[in-house]
């Protein structure tokens, strides 16, 4: 097993490099760059199972998720806390931050800042992400937005 990030050690795999390139573009906050990054780093028929319904499938579903996130949190930032890779799999534990300035899950903008965790497992082949599975702490996100009690 190889690893990077806070777990240290090991050599970096191609999958880690793909994920780092993708995250760099996602963190630009520029919707056009994010959509271009999805086209560049994600296979068209990616097996994407979002933690919340997105509608559609493949790369288009991932684009819908990022459109919604960028609308709700224009300053969204994904900070990779830890990355572990083995073979064609890359696991990334992240902290997500942003300011709620647009509609999100039917909730009008609150101006509140959110910080929540997520863990994603990516399969990378041929320099592209071919599978995405994830767990996002939506409960914390909604609590910080005042949508559910603490």
């Amino acid at each position: 097993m190889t690893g990077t990030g806070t777990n240290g050690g090991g050599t970096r795999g191609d999958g880690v490099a793909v994920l780092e390139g993708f995250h760099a573009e996602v963190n630009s906050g520029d919707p056009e760059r994010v959509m271009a990054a999805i086209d560049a780093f994600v296979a068209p028929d990616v097996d994407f199972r979002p933690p919340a319904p997105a509608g559609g499938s493949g790369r288009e579903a991932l684009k819908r998720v990022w459109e919604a996130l960028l609308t709700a949190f224009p300053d969204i930032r994904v900070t990779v806390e830890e990355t572990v890779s083995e073979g064609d799999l890359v696991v990334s534990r992240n902290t997500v931050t942003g300011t709620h300035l647009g509609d999100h899950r039917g909730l009008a903008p609150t101006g509140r800042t959110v910080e929540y965790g997520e863990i994603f497992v990516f399969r990378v082949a041929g320099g592209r992400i071919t599978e995405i599975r994830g767990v996002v702490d939506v409960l914390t996100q909604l609590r910080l937005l005042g949508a559910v009690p603490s």
Side-chain angles (χ1 to χ4, degrees):
M1 184 166 12
T2 61
T4 64
T6 58
N7 65 344
T11 59
R12 298 162 40 86
D14 291 341
V16 173
V18 168
L19 196 57
E20 286 176 343
F22 179 68
H23 277 130
E25 293 303 306
V26 164
N27 283 332
S28 73
D30 178 342
E32 288 182 20
R33 281 180 63 183
V34 173
M35 296 307 130
I38 292 170
D39 287 337
F41 291 103
V42 179
D45 60 346
V46 62
D47 183 2
F48 175 49
R49 303 206 185 164
S57 62
R59 198 160 58 191
E60 294 309 309
L62 183 60
K63 286 183 177 183
R64 282 193 197 99
V65 167
W66 276 101
E67 286 170 351
L69 288 170
L70 289 165
T71 297
F73 307 99
D75 62 345
I76 192 167
R77 180 145 187 92
V78 178
T79 301
V80 177
E81 305 292 348
E82 188 170 25
T83 303
V84 178
S85 68
E86 183 171 1
D88 62 352
L89 293 177
V90 180
V91 179
S92 181
R93 183 179 60 82
N94 311 316
T95 299
V96 181
T97 57
T99 309
H100 184 217
L101 301 176
D103 183 69
H104 182 61
R105 299 178 183 261
L107 185 62
T110 62
R112 293 180 178 181
T113 300
V114 297
E115 181 177 318
Y116 58 92
E118 64 181 17
I119 297 175
F120 277 89
V121 178
F122 301 89
R123 186 174 308 277
V124 179
R128 289 208 167 168
I129 299 166
T130 60
E131 183 178 341
I132 304 171
R133 303 267 191 273
V135 178
V136 175
D137 188 356
V138 175
L139 182 58
T140 293
Q141 180 193 74
L142 294 175
R143 281 184 177 153
L144 292 169
L145 295 176
V148 295
S150 295

